[in-house]
Amino acid sequence: MATTVRRAVLTLPAAPTGPENPLPALRAPDGVHVLDERSRRGLPRDMARQIGYAPLRSLLPVRIRDGYRRERTEREFDAVVIENAHLRVTVLPGLGGRVHSLVHLPTGRELLYRNPVFQPADFALNGAWFSGGIEWNIGATGHTTLSCAPLHAALVPAPDGGVMLRMWEWERLRDLPFQVDLWLPEDSEFLYVGVRVRNPHERPAPVYWWSNIAVPEDPGTRVLAPADEAWHFGYERSLRRIPVPAWEGADRTYPLRSQYPADFFYELADGARPWIASLDAAGQGLAQTSTGVLRGRKLFVWGAGAGGRRWQEWLTEPGTGGYAEIQAGLARTQLEHVRLEGGAEFSWLEAYGPLSADPAAVHGPDWRAARAAAGDALDAVLPRERVDAAYEAWRGRADTEPGERLAEGSGWGALEVLCGGHELPGTPFAESTLGEEQAPWLELWRTGAFPEPKRVAPPGPSLVAAHWRDMLETAPADPLTEYHLGVAQWHAGDVAQAVRSWERGLALAPSRWPLLRCLAVADALAGAPARAADGFAAAFEDLAAESRGGEPWTAAEAALGREAMTALLAAGRLAEARRVWDRLRPALREHGRFRLLAARLLAAEGHVAAARRVFEDGFEIPDLREGEETLSEVWSALTDRPLPARYDFRMRPPGTP
């Protein structure tokens, strides 16, 4: 059977992704993946250097995606299906290029964990993320900001004369273009994936890449990799070297034998073939291998504890089975970023396919025999030399211009290529993709002035790279320009200049709340909570007076209302927090975040029983953040009773600092 590539439609029960948060993401990402200082001592020198290299100061210029909900209806997703006699691969270009399904046709086995629903949750760096399949994580430590975003996609000639699927985009956190080429040779049992990350700038750039593979989890599943040690990272934020497979009385290569969610980064020997496999009780499952550039391998487990199991239910449907993640990355751990010189690139080839090994050896007591059984089975069906040869063959096609277009991504890459004069063979960012969000920035580049908006609306996205900041500094200093300039200066770490720009803009601004909110965030992060509370309250009051109908205004009210109530409650200013609550649109008060804020406000006002009733009546927070413990903290302040299971999302041992 010759390999075919065709369009398809995938129908799933799906929650709406909703609008983006229109407030600029001035705060640094949360500290879930931050390493405590004690753990840094004694690390290998290259690891320590890369852990400290170029951490994100903010998520700018990317916007937060927190407008999703949990009510699901049937929805159609555009898909691309790649198929030969051995595998059927279903890809979703509109959702970060996710490989949704990988079916071994001779047996009918699904090799991945295939999520039966589309349910966004707050795991991506910028919010919305969903579980299942194979995702391509680029940018910085965490799930990519492109998790729920469309990629450009097209057909390209494959090295064997067939067709491969190319997907590409401009990653905005690091200002880097990348491509992912999926290629299934006619007689192959393995899907090949060629990846290239390019740095078109003169300056070096930090690069992060982890391919994240969700695999079915059951008591008989074991994850194998060629390592005798691993780096353990848990939600207590410590990194320690541990033996593989057994640690603290349990074999941690079985995902359900850990109690709490954790990462295990395998320490592969230099020069060893990089691979990882997840095999069930019968010794069957999925293997992933690559060329040597992709050196890291990892197992993530949810664990058997109540919090991990609750998260599993939250991300899919109860009763549909859980999953673990096996991953492959550029560095030893996901806490690291790797330096890519100006004008250079990283490229590699990955392979995904079925693996079958002797179950007695795979699940036997001798770890070296177990991993050798899996490694030998992989060598038999896909020798390392074949992967290296496939990489060389693919590399000769990486610059080939795409043919038939299958999907369209954002216009940000087109804007950067046009303004920067970049030459990127193989990944064209056409001017036809420029849209409404890019239009004012294109005008700034062409005329030197940032245009006035054509209608009253929350400000559009800010751009923060040095060349855009330079243009804003020389543009006429109207209030909207000062707003965007302050955001760019903030991103560059020039807090004092950012504050001055926002203050200058405030003097003449017809719409004051965006500038007031930025100044309030600056006060909060400068350790001035009372002044910050003043600013948030004033910003929300101005927004409520100006707000019109429509999704962008509702999103702005929801985001700023949350910030204002949180700041006022922290400052003990209950009457003002109540005023914000009273000015909210009634529909917003029913959102989970505001139900929790209502409980906190009632408790602070002395109405503890009423606050408990909010919990007893039940509510859900769709954008509950990975590692967030707000629910358990508020509950414990209201009662000594055990935390109800529906609110138990705790991901670390009790008493962990």
Side-chain angles (χ1 to χ4, degrees), residues 199-217:
N199 181 3
H201 310 292
E202 295 180 357
R203 53 176 168 76
V207 175
Y208 172 93
W209 184 282
W210 282 80
S211 301
N212 184 358
I213 310 121
V215 291
E217 167 207 73

Side-chain angles (χ1 to χ4, degrees), residues 176-526:
L176 301 176
F178 71 97
Q179 71 188 76
V180 179
D181 290 356
L182 279 69
W183 166 35
L184 184 57
E186 181 175 337
D187 296 322
S188 176
E189 288 195 332
F190 279 77
L191 171 69
Y192 292 151
V193 181
V195 182
R196 178 165 63 167
V197 181
R198 287 188 274 195
N199 181 3
H201 310 292
E202 295 180 357
R203 53 176 168 76
V207 175
Y208 172 93
W209 184 282
W210 282 80
S211 301
N212 184 358
I213 310 121
V215 291
E217 167 207 73
D218 61 59
T221 296
R222 191 177 206 186
V223 172
L224 302 106
D228 294 317
E229 292 183 308
W231 295 91
H232 172 273
F233 183 77
Y235 285 80
E236 62 274 21
R237 301 174 186 171
S238 63
L239 187 66
R240 47 188 160 172
R241 199 166 187 156
I242 65 169
V244 175
W247 176 59
E248 293 187 344
D251 187 330
R252 306 296 174 162
T253 60
Y254 290 88
L256 286 174
R257 296 186 188 177
S258 291
Q259 183 69 8
Y260 294 97
D263 299 325
F264 298 90
F265 298 102
Y266 294 113
E267 184 72 21
L268 275 60
D270 289 341
R273 182 181 189 181
W275 61 269
I276 191 167
S278 173
L279 303 181
D280 63 17
Q284 297 180 335
L286 173 78
Q288 188 273 357
T289 186
S290 69
T291 48
V293 168
L294 206 66
R295 62 172 295 190
R297 292 300 184 275
K298 168 194 163 182
L299 164 65
F300 167 76
V301 301
W302 284 106
R309 305 330 293 169
R310 182 69 180 107
W311 273 116
Q312 293 263 34
E313 292 179 350
W314 187 253
L315 296 171
T316 180
E317 289 280 12
T320 56
Y323 72 94
E325 294 171 359
I326 57 175
Q327 302 188 24
L330 283 175
R332 277 190 179 96
T333 73
Q334 288 177 325
L335 305 175
E336 302 168 65
H337 301 115
V338 182
R339 181 184 177 100
L340 179 60
E341 298 299 333
E345 65 179 53
F346 289 134
S347 63
W348 62 90
L349 188 98
E350 305 180 43
Y352 297 82
L355 190 68
S356 181
D358 177 11
V362 164
H363 297 285
D366 186 334
W367 168 244
R368 295 200 172 190
R371 77 181 207 204
D376 290 346
L378 177 61
D379 289 341
V381 294
L382 186 67
R384 184 175 190 175
E385 295 75 20
R386 192 183 304 168
V387 174
D388 292 338
Y391 168 73
E392 293 300 332
W394 165 76
R395 194 63 190 81
R397 296 280 187 168
D399 284 349
T400 302
E401 289 303 307
E404 180 187 348
R405 300 299 200 270
L406 303 178
E408 189 174 278
S410 77
W412 295 114
L415 182 68
E416 295 297 340
V417 168
L418 181 64
C419 298
H422 304 302
E423 297 289 336
L424 298 169
T427 55
F429 292 93
E431 289 187 42
S432 60
T433 62
L434 292 166
E436 184 178 351
E437 288 187 325
Q438 293 82 41
W441 298 96
L442 189 60
E443 186 168 336
L444 172 65
W445 177 66
R446 285 175 171 163
T447 70
F450 199 88
E452 287 292 325
K454 296 178 181 177
R455 63 183 184 277
V456 178
S462 297
L463 293 183
V464 297
H467 53 283
W468 294 111
R469 188 173 71 249
D470 291 343
M471 287 185 238
L472 289 166
E473 286 176 344
T474 58
D478 60 69
L480 185 56
T481 301
E482 295 285 11
Y483 163 80
H484 286 300
L485 175 58
V487 173
Q489 290 165 332
W490 178 274
H491 176 262
D494 196 343
V495 173
Q497 284 288 6
V499 168
R500 280 193 284 273
S501 294
W502 292 327
E503 289 174 341
R504 283 196 305 269
L506 193 60
L508 297 174
S511 181
R512 293 168 54 84
W513 64 266
L515 294 150
L516 288 169
R517 183 263 175 181
C518 289
L519 290 167
V521 173
D523 284 332
L525 297 180

Side-chain angles (χ1 to χ4, degrees), residues 91-113:
V91 188
L92 302 175
L95 293 173
R98 184 79 58 101
V99 176
H100 174 72
S101 171
L102 185 64
V103 176
H104 183 234
L105 293 173
T107 61
R109 283 192 298 123
E110 173 62 69
L111 300 179
L112 304 173
Y113 168 75

